[in-house]
C-alpha cells in the first residue's frame, strides 16, 4: 500500500544539491537522495540515502519505480549535477512530467547539442567529434575543410565543471589537449570547436507550459588560459539592454532547438563580434552557487523550490506572481518569455592556491564578520593537497556577498579573500617546482603577480646586490618594484604591499612553529624570496622562510 506522504528522489548529495533537499523538505516531502559517494556532505539532510552511481540510469530508474510503487514518489530532480539524462530517463518511466529523455540527451552530449543547433541555425561554433581511436590521425585532419581554425576549444562531450576542457592555441598543443579531454570523458569522445572570443554570461531559466522564465543573468569571470577557470560571477550583468535581450533570444531559441519543454535550462553564452553564440545549454539548474545562492539573494526568488514545483507538475505560484513579460520586437520563438529581475547585486568569488599541502589556515572566522557577506564555503582544509586550478573543482573556497550597490558586494568578497591565508608545508616538491620553474614567465600556471618582463629581469639584477637576510630582519625591497607595490594585485586580490604587510604580521607565527631554533638564524637569498613572492604571492614568501628554517643552516 502506498504511503500518504509524498516523496521526492534527488540525484546528488553534495553541497550543490543542498538547496534542493531543503526545498523538498520545506514543501513537506520525504526526501531520498542518491550519490556514488557514501560520504557526500548533505546525506544527513535527507530522510533516506542510497549509494547509486548517478550515471547508471537503469539503477536510477529501478529505484524510482520502486519508490513510486511503495512510497508515493512524486518527482525525480537534480540541480548542479550533469545527470539530467538520468532524471529524464527515470521520470519518463514513472510517467512524471519532465524534459523528454531525448531532449535531455541533446542537452548533455555536446556533439548532439551542436548538431541540434546547426540544424536549427542557432549560432554556435563549428565543431567536430573525435574518439580515442582517431587520435593518432588528428594531425592529418583537414581543419579548413571542417571550418575549424586555431585556437580550438577541446572538451569532453559529457562532463561538467571544466574537467578536461582547455584551449589548443596551436597544432602542437592539440594531441595533449585531446588526450586530457578523453580521460575526462565518460564516453571516450571529445569535441573540437572554434574558440568564441568575447565576454561570457550564465543564464538560468525555468521552462513549462509553453513559457520560458529567465531566473538569473550573470557576468562570468573566466581566467587562466589555456584553461577556463571561473573565478566568480556577478549578477545582475552590467551588459547593455540591447545585447542582453539578444543573448536571451538566442538562449530561448537554443532551448527550443534541443526540445526542452518541462524543467530547468542553463546557458553558458558569449557575446562575440558577430553577436551571441551559445557555448552550451544544460537541462538543469546551474551549479557554481548561482541557482541555489546568488540568484535567490539577488532576487528573493527561491529558484530551486520553483523548479521543484515544476518537476512535481504543480503551479509555481511565486514565480507566476512575480515574473514580468519580456517584450521582444518579433515572434522569434513559440515560447512566451518572462523574467524575474534582480533587486540587488550578488557577487561570488573564489580563492586559489599554489601547489602543495596545507599546514595552516589563517583568518577564516574573522572573514565572516565582514559586512554584506552571506556565505563562506571552504573546500581546502589543513593537510589537504592543493594545486593551481585547471578546472572549476580545484579552487580552495568561495565567498558570496550581496548589497544594493554592485561595488560594495564585489568589495566585500575581495576583502574576505585578501585576508584568508593558506600556508603550505615546507620542503614540498610540488611547491618547489611551482615557485622555481626553469622559466619564470611560464604560460601556465601564471605568476601570482603579473609584472612586466623587464621589471622581473631588473629585479633579479638588483637581488644580486642585496645581501641574504634572516626571518627576524625586515625584507629588503628592490627599487625596481617600488612603483608596483600598490598597483599590481595577485589572483587573491592582494597588492604587493598588502602581501608584504601580511607577511610581516604573521611571520612570528612561523618562528612559533619551531622550538629548537639555532643560535644563528638561517638565511634566505633575496633572489629566492622575491622569485617566490612574484611566483606564489604570500604563500611563496612563507614557503621560503619555512623551508629555510627547516634546513637549520646555510642560505636557502
Amino acid at each position: 500500500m502506498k504511503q500518504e506522504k509524498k516523496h521526492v528522489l534527488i540525484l546528488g548529495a553534495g553541497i550543490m544539491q543542498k538547496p534542493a533537499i531543503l526545498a523538498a523538505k520545506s514543501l513537506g516531502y520525504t526526501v531520498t537522495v542518491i550519490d556514488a559517494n557514501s560520504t557526500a556532505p548533505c546525506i544527513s539532510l535527507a530522510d533516506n540515502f542510497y549509494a547509486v552511481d548517478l550515471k547508471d540510469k537503469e539503477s536510477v530508474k529501478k529505484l524510482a519505480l520502486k519508490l513510486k510503487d511503495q512510497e508515493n514518489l512524486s518527482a525525480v530532480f537534480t540541480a548542479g549535477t550533469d545527470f539530467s539524462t538520468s532524471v529524464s530517463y527515470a521520470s519518463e518511466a514513472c510517467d512524471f512530467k519532465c524534459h523528454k529523455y531525448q531532449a535531455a540527451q541533446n542537452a548533455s552530449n555536446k556533439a548532439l547539442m551542436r548538431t541540434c543547433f546547426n540544424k536549427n541555425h542557432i549560432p554556435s561554433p563549428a565543431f567536430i567529434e573525435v574518439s580515442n581511436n582517431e587520435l593518432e590521425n588528428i594531425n592529418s585532419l583537414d581543419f579548413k575543410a571542417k571550418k575549424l581554425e586555431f585556437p580550438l576549444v577541446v572538451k569532453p562531450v559529457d562532463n561538467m565543471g571544466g574537467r578536461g576542457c582547455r584551449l589548443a592555441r596551436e597544432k602542437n598543443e592539440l594531441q595533449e589537449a585531446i588526450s586530457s579531454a578523453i580521460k575526462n570523458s565518460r564516453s571516450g569522445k571529445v569535441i573540437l570547436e572554434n574558440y568564441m572570443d568575447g565576454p561570457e554570461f550564465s543564464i538560468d531559466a525555468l521552462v513549462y507550459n509553453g513559457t520560458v522564465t529567465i531566473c538569473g543573468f550573470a557576468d562570468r569571470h573566466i581566467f587562466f588560459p589555456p584553461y577556463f577557470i571561473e573565478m566568480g560571477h556577478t549578477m545582475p550583468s552590467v551588459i547593455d539592454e540591447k545585447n542582453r535581450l539578444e543573448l536571451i533570444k538566442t538562449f530561448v531559441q537554443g532551448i527550443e532547438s534541443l526540445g526542452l519543454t518541462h524543467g530547468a535550462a542553463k546557458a553558458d553564452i558569449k557575446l562575440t563580434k558577430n553577436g551571441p553564440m551559445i557555448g552550451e545549454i544544460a537541462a538543469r539548474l546551474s551549479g557554481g552557487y548561482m541557482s541555489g545562492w546568488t540568484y535567490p539573494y539577488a532576487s528573493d526568488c527561491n529558484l530551486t523550490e520553483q523548479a521543484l514545483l515544476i518537476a512535481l507538475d504543480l503551479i509555481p505560484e511565486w514565480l507566476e506572481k512575480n515574473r514580468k513579460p519580456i517584450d521582444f520586437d518579433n515572434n522569434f520563438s513559440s515560447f512566451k518569455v518572462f523574467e524575474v529581475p534582480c533587486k540587488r547585486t550578488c557577487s561570488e568569488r573564489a580563492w586559489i592556491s599554489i601547489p602543495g599541502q596545507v599546514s595552516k589556515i589563517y583568518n577564516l572566522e574573522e572573514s565572516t564578520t565582514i559586512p554584506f557577506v552571506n556565505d563562506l564555503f571552504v573546500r581546502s582544509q589543513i593537510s589537504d593537497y592543493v594545486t593551481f586550478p585547471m578546472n572549476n573543482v580545484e579552487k580552495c573556497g568561495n565567498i558570496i556577498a550581496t548589497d544594493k550597490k554592485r561595488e560594495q558586494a564585489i568589495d566585500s568578497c575581495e576583502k574576505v579573500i585578501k585576508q584568508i591565508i593558506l600556508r603550505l608545508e615546507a620542503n614540498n616538491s610540488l611547491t618547489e617546482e611551482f615557485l622555481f620553474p626553469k622559466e619564470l614567465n611560464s604560460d601556465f600556471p601564471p605568476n601570482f603577480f603579473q609584472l612586466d618582463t623587464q621589471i622581473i629581469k631588473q629585479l633579479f639584477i638588483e637581488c644580486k646586490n642585496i645581501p641574504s637576510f634572516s626571518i627576524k630582519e625586515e625584507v629588503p625591497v628592490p627599487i625596481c618594484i617600488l612603483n608596483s607595490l600598490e598597483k599590481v594585485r595577485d589572483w587573491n586580490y592582494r597588492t604587493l604591499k598588502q602581501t608584504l604587510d601580511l607577511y610581516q604580521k604573521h611571520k612570528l607565527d612561523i618562528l612559533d612553529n619551531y622550538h629548537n631554533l639555532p643560535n644563528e638564524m638561517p638565511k634566505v637569498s633575496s633572489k629566492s624570496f622575491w622569485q617566490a613572492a612574484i611566483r606564489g604571492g604570500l604563500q611563496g614568501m612563507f614557503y621560503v622562510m619555512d623551508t629555510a628554517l627547516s634546513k637549520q643552516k646555510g642560505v636557502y
Side-chain angles (χ1 to χ4, degrees), residues 441 451-462 480:
N441 282 321
L451 292 178
D452 183 81
T453 303
Q454 293 303 316
I455 292 178
I456 292 176
K457 287 182 179 179
Q458 183 60 33
L459 172 69
F460 290 152
I461 292 172
E462 290 187 33
C480 65

Side-chain angles (χ1 to χ4, degrees), residues 540-556:
M541 293 180 177
F542 279 160
Y543 177 82
V544 293
M545 282 298 179
D546 267 335
T547 301
L549 282 167
S550 71
K551 295 182 184 302
Q552 298 270 321
K553 61 182 180 180
V555 177
Y556 177 68

Side-chain angles (χ1 to χ4, degrees), residues 370-551:
I370 290 177
F372 312 110
V373 169
N374 303 102
D375 296 286
L376 181 72
F377 298 96
V378 181
R379 288 185 172 185
S380 298
Q381 309 286 349
I382 292 174
S383 297
D384 285 353
Y385 281 91
V386 289
T387 189
F388 198 96
M390 293 193 294
N391 58 55
N392 285 320
V393 298
E394 293 180 334
K395 294 172 285 192
C396 296
N398 304 76
I399 184 74
I400 298 173
T402 308
D403 190 57
K404 289 184 177 180
K405 296 180 180 178
R406 184 181 182 90
E407 297 77 11
Q408 183 61 66
I410 295 170
D411 184 62
S412 292
C413 282
E414 293 183 0
K415 280 182 178 177
V416 170
I417 292 173
K418 282 178 186 177
Q419 66 179 30
I420 293 175
I421 304 167
L422 272 66
R423 181 169 146 205
L424 304 179
E425 292 283 357
N427 294 305
N428 183 286
S429 60
L430 296 174
T431 311
E432 198 82 19
E433 289 169 11
F434 179 91
L435 293 177
F436 303 103
K438 293 180 180 179
E439 176 58 52
L440 186 58
N441 282 321
S442 61
D443 183 32
F444 184 91
N447 296 337
F448 251 55
F449 282 105
Q450 299 289 289
L451 292 178
D452 183 81
T453 303
Q454 293 303 316
I455 292 178
I456 292 176
K457 287 182 179 179
Q458 183 60 33
L459 172 69
F460 290 152
I461 292 172
E462 290 187 33
C463 283
K464 291 179 180 178
N465 299 316
I466 298 175
S468 301
F469 60 97
S470 79
I471 189 172
K472 290 186 176 180
E473 298 173 319
E474 288 291 314
V475 175
V477 180
I479 295 172
C480 65
I481 62 170
L482 289 176
N483 290 333
S484 302
L485 288 178
E486 297 192 45
K487 292 180 180 179
V488 181
R489 301 205 303 176
D490 70 6
W491 299 118
N492 287 330
Y493 306 108
R494 304 182 191 108
T495 65
L496 258 173
K497 184 178 186 309
Q498 290 168 337
T499 301
L500 271 174
D501 289 345
L502 281 169
Y503 169 76
Q504 299 289 2
K505 177 181 177 181
H506 290 288
K507 72 176 183 180
L508 293 178
D509 181 69
I510 295 178
L511 287 173
D512 292 340
N513 201 44
Y514 297 92
H515 304 294
N516 298 307
L517 288 171
N519 293 327
E520 184 178 346
M521 292 288 291
K523 295 184 176 183
V524 172
S525 75
S526 293
K527 182 182 183 299
S528 293
F529 181 89
W530 281 106
Q531 175 162 339
I534 300 305
R535 184 78 177 131
L538 185 59
Q539 290 178 302
M541 293 180 177
F542 279 160
Y543 177 82
V544 293
M545 282 298 179
D546 267 335
T547 301
L549 282 167
S550 71
K551 295 182 184 302

Side-chain angles (χ1 to χ4, degrees), residues 9 30 72 118 138 175 184 187 189 212 228 306 321 323 347 361 370 398 427 434 484 495 549:
L9 173 62
T30 297
N72 201 23
N118 288 347
I138 193 66
Q175 195 142 359
N184 286 275
S187 64
K189 295 181 179 181
V212 173
F228 302 92
Q306 299 303 296
K321 180 180 178 181
R323 67 184 183 179
S347 171
I361 303 175
I370 290 177
N398 304 76
N427 294 305
F434 179 91
S484 302
T495 65
L549 282 167

Side-chain angles (χ1 to χ4, degrees), residues 274-301:
N274 296 318
M277 292 190 76
I278 298 175
E280 56 189 72
I281 293 176
R284 56 168 173 80
L285 291 177
S286 60
Y289 305 101
M290 181 170 157
S291 64
W293 285 267
T294 58
Y295 179 66
Y297 288 140
S299 68
D300 295 331
C301 173

Side-chain angles (χ1 to χ4, degrees), residues 341-365:
C342 292
K343 299 178 179 179
R344 54 194 74 89
T345 293
C346 191
S347 171
E348 178 269 320
R349 296 292 185 271
W351 68 88
I352 61 175
S353 174
I354 66 174
Q357 186 176 18
V358 180
S359 63
K360 187 164 184 175
I361 303 175
Y362 298 88
N363 302 329
L364 281 179
E365 290 186 8

